[in-house]
Amino acid sequence: MNNLTNITKYKLLAPVYDTFMGNQLFRKSRIKAFSLLQLKAKQQVLLVGVGTGEDIILLPKDVNIVGIDTSEAMLEKAREKAKGSPKILRNMNAEKLEFADKTFDAVVLNLILSVVENPQKAMLEAVRVLRDNRKIVVFDKFLTDNTKPSFARKLLNLIRGCLTAAI
């Protein structure tokens, strides 16, 4: 997907994004993914594609969170959720992270690799900024080979396709 298209698309989606992506099904899956990290106090966590900040509210309060996204509209929603806590939220491209090598104890890529222009670059950047022997969590909407999408997935893809075509 084109990065410029993403910026426009998510500007339109920001007001309603949580209605669809903040539901219990996604929340339970995200909580399960975060449990794999076994985070400790003061660890540095990077949320790539932080979006509206749904992941911020699921992480322990004592970890240091940096969230990045290319959509300023989505970041505004995330800033509302992060009020009163020391979270850093920045407008940044997942394919060109502006952090030094080995900066983070954990990197989370939730629902981002399927929408960035070059997922391989985004993944390489995530690995680059990750400290040795630390963890990356990828949570996305890929299907395994020979798996047919459900009706709900087909409907969401149709809606997403219409929005993208309108842009």
Side-chain angles (χ1 to χ4, degrees):
M1 184 141 331
N2 180 289
N3 287 328
L4 187 56
T5 302
N6 277 338
I7 292 168
T8 307
K9 178 175 72 173
Y10 287 105
K11 183 177 184 176
L12 297 172
L13 287 174
V16 296
Y17 188 85
D18 287 348
T19 302
F20 297 104
M21 303 310 281
N23 68 50
Q24 282 296 69
L25 174 64
F26 281 110
R27 183 163 284 152
K28 284 181 184 177
S29 297
R30 285 175 162 170
I31 290 169
K32 184 176 180 181
F34 288 137
S35 72
L36 300 172
L37 290 174
Q38 300 174 346
L39 296 169
K40 295 177 179 64
K42 306 297 181 206
Q43 285 188 309
Q44 303 290 323
V45 179
L46 175 62
L47 299 177
V48 179
V50 69
T52 64
E54 278 294 298
D55 293 338
I56 291 171
I57 59 179
L58 301 177
L59 288 169
K61 304 276 186 235
D62 57 359
V63 297
N64 299 313
I65 299 171
V66 175
I68 64 125
D69 207 292
T70 58
S71 169
E72 195 56 45
M74 297 289 265
L75 285 168
E76 283 304 316
K77 294 282 187 182
R79 286 183 185 108
E80 291 172 20
K81 291 178 184 159
K83 272 192 175 149
S85 63
K87 311 301 183 246
I88 298 169
L89 301 169
R90 294 181 52 193
N91 190 309
M92 191 183 301
N93 186 331
E95 299 163 25
K96 298 174 192 160
L97 297 177
E98 301 167 15
F99 303 109
D101 294 356
K102 301 179 182 188
T103 300
F104 296 96
D105 297 297
V107 178
V108 178
L109 298 112
N110 277 353
L111 302 170
I112 189 69
L113 291 177
S114 60
V115 298
V116 295
E117 193 168 324
N118 189 326
Q120 294 85 0
K121 274 187 181 178
M123 194 66 194
L124 286 171
E125 281 291 279
V127 170
R128 180 184 65 77
V129 301
L130 188 68
R131 291 187 178 128
D132 292 334
N133 301 314
R134 302 306 178 159
K135 294 182 182 179
I136 292 178
V137 168
V138 176
F139 173 77
D140 224 307
K141 52 189 182 277
F142 300 112
L143 293 174
T144 57
D145 291 341
N146 302 320
T147 302
K148 294 186 183 207
S150 66
F151 174 76
R153 182 181 290 257
K154 287 180 185 177
L155 183 61
L156 283 172
N157 286 339
L158 178 65
I159 293 167
R160 183 179 59 88
C162 290
L163 284 172
T164 303
I167 298 167

